[in-house]
Amino acid sequence: MSIKRILLLPHINIQNANALSSPYTIGFPAMTAWLGAAHALQRKLVAAGFDDLIFKRVGVVCHHINLQTYKGRGDYVYSIIGTGNPLDQDGNRPAFNEEARCHLEVSLVIETKGIDKDDEEEVMPLLLSFLHSQLKMAGGDIVSASTPEFIKINQDDSQEFRKLAHKLMPGFALIERRELMLEAMLQGQDALDALLDYLSIKNHSEIDEDGNVKWTSKRKSSGWLVPIATGFQGISPVTEPSKTLNQRDPSTPHRFAEAVVTLGEFIMPYRLRSFDELMWHYLYDEPNNLYLCQQPLRQVVINSNL
């Protein structure tokens, strides 16, 4: 019997989160932001005296998102809604960089290790303090958050997982669909073509016997598929810190990296078949210089008629 101890951080309202998850995608914040927030929370709790605490995996459920973009009547593309920065001492508007932002409400499901039932009463006030005053998520400010909850579930008991899924409704869990990318690449497409092929909406027209034109629109695969940044790939050797690099942390080795983008899918939690399908974990692939947030690879099931 596999027992999992879960920390549920429900209904966290975040304002001005970073929606520019990669150099060429805009929308839901990158998975690195959510696992990074859980890691930051873990470090704060460890510093508070819970030395054995480990956050092993993280699941993300989005209840609401408001992407700060605007599309006027007749416009072809969306524009980013900027912030009205205060005027400088001369009364001029200061220069600023356009930053894609979003307001959203999420719930985080965190698999924990090293915390017992007796520790929960001590941890709870610390969690509330960190969430409401000391922690940011995805670069945004936490406006409000519901009371955290510790849950113990049997991974082999589908009914217990179903109870957890009900706590996450209504909402959409973000899962990884990189198996679709791998299947397309095995058929000869490069990564970017495979990504666009699944995201594009293709329109077709047909003329019936009476000469009427009927238009239909469809995508390659069903489901709410989205591009999602899941990590980084190093593009330079790891170098020791030096003053000439102007690093923020003079004690940490440095390397240049680029974002890794793959396919994700938003699905309602009740459609998940197991606890593992919800959870993300860190993976360091040293031979390929990859720093990833990942889920277990799913079996590829593609309907050629879609």
Side-chain angles (χ1 to χ4, degrees):
M1 184 169 63
S2 180
I3 301 297
K4 302 292 184 182
R5 298 190 68 88
I6 306 302
L7 170 60
L8 175 61
L9 303 179
H11 298 281
I12 306 170
N13 285 286
I14 306 169
Q15 192 172 51
N16 293 327
N18 178 24
L20 196 64
S21 56
S22 78
Y24 44 89
T25 58
I26 179 175
F28 195 75
M31 282 308 305
T32 49
W34 305 114
L35 269 71
H39 183 64
L41 181 59
Q42 174 192 314
R43 293 184 60 178
K44 288 183 178 293
L45 291 172
V46 170
F50 298 92
D51 299 334
D52 298 329
L53 175 64
I54 298 175
F55 289 167
K56 299 176 63 177
R57 297 186 294 174
V58 180
V60 182
V61 176
C62 180
H63 304 285
H64 170 76
I65 184 170
N66 180 6
L67 186 61
Q68 296 296 287
T69 57
Y70 173 77
K71 184 178 182 181
R73 185 175 182 179
D75 292 347
Y76 183 71
V77 297
Y78 286 87
S79 300
I80 295 174
I81 300 175
T83 56
N85 298 327
L87 303 179
D88 60 22
Q89 59 185 0
D90 297 325
N92 299 318
R93 185 73 66 185
F96 66 96
N97 293 326
E98 287 188 342
E99 296 178 343
R101 304 169 296 115
C102 63
H103 309 323
L104 71 166
E105 178 183 340
V106 298
S107 292
L108 298 184
V109 180
I110 304 175
E111 181 184 347
T112 67
K113 180 182 178 182
I115 185 169
D116 299 325
K117 182 69 175 179
D118 298 336
D119 299 325
E120 293 178 4
E121 292 185 3
E122 298 181 39
V123 172
M124 190 62 68
L126 292 174
L127 285 172
L128 293 173
S129 174
F130 294 150
L131 285 174
H132 291 290
S133 62
Q134 300 185 35
L135 198 66
K136 294 173 76 73
M137 287 191 178
D141 300 315
I142 297 177
V143 179
S144 64
S146 298
T147 303
E149 183 179 357
F150 286 97
I151 304 171
K152 185 167 65 173
I153 67 171
N154 180 2
Q155 188 176 5
D156 301 325
D157 189 340
S158 60
Q159 293 300 320
E160 291 191 7
F161 174 70
R162 191 172 297 276
K163 291 179 181 178
L164 174 62
H166 287 170
K167 291 178 180 289
L168 302 173
M169 292 292 293
F172 291 89
L174 180 59
I175 63 173
E176 189 179 29
R177 298 301 309 272
R178 75 179 188 277
E179 77 279 1
L180 298 178
M181 296 275 292
L182 292 173
E183 174 71 13
M185 293 169 69
L186 289 174
Q187 295 176 0
Q189 289 184 302
D190 65 21
L192 186 57
D193 285 339
L195 184 74
L196 294 175
D197 197 25
Y198 276 101
L199 297 177
S200 60
I201 300 176
K202 298 179 180 179
N203 301 307
H204 301 274
S205 64
E206 295 179 357
I207 302 178
D208 60 20
E209 297 178 354
D210 298 328
N212 298 318
V213 179
K214 180 181 178 181
W215 285 91
T216 58
S217 300
K218 63 179 181 180
R219 300 174 74 171
K220 183 176 180 179
S221 179
S222 60
W224 187 359
L225 298 177
V226 295
I228 185 70
T230 58
F232 302 92
Q233 182 173 34
I235 56 175
S236 72
V238 178
T239 58
E240 294 301 319
S242 65
K243 294 182 179 180
T244 57
L245 291 176
N246 295 321
Q247 290 180 229
R248 294 181 181 179
D249 185 353
S251 62
T252 302
H254 168 83
R255 83 184 310 173
F256 291 99
E258 62 182 4
V260 173
V261 179
T262 188
L263 283 172
E265 183 179 0
F266 283 109
I267 67 172
M268 286 192 170
Y270 75 85
R271 292 183 54 204
L272 296 171
R273 294 169 294 181
S274 67
F275 177 74
D276 289 334
E277 287 192 347
L278 173 65
M279 307 305 286
W280 295 73
H281 63 273
Y282 282 121
L283 175 69
Y284 173 44
D285 183 356
E286 185 175 4
N288 295 311
N289 301 323
L290 289 169
Y291 306 82
L292 300 174
C293 304
Q294 204 169 82
Q295 290 188 319
L297 189 64
R298 288 172 173 77
Q299 182 179 0
V300 178
V301 179
I302 295 182
N303 186 345
S304 60
N305 296 323
L306 292 176

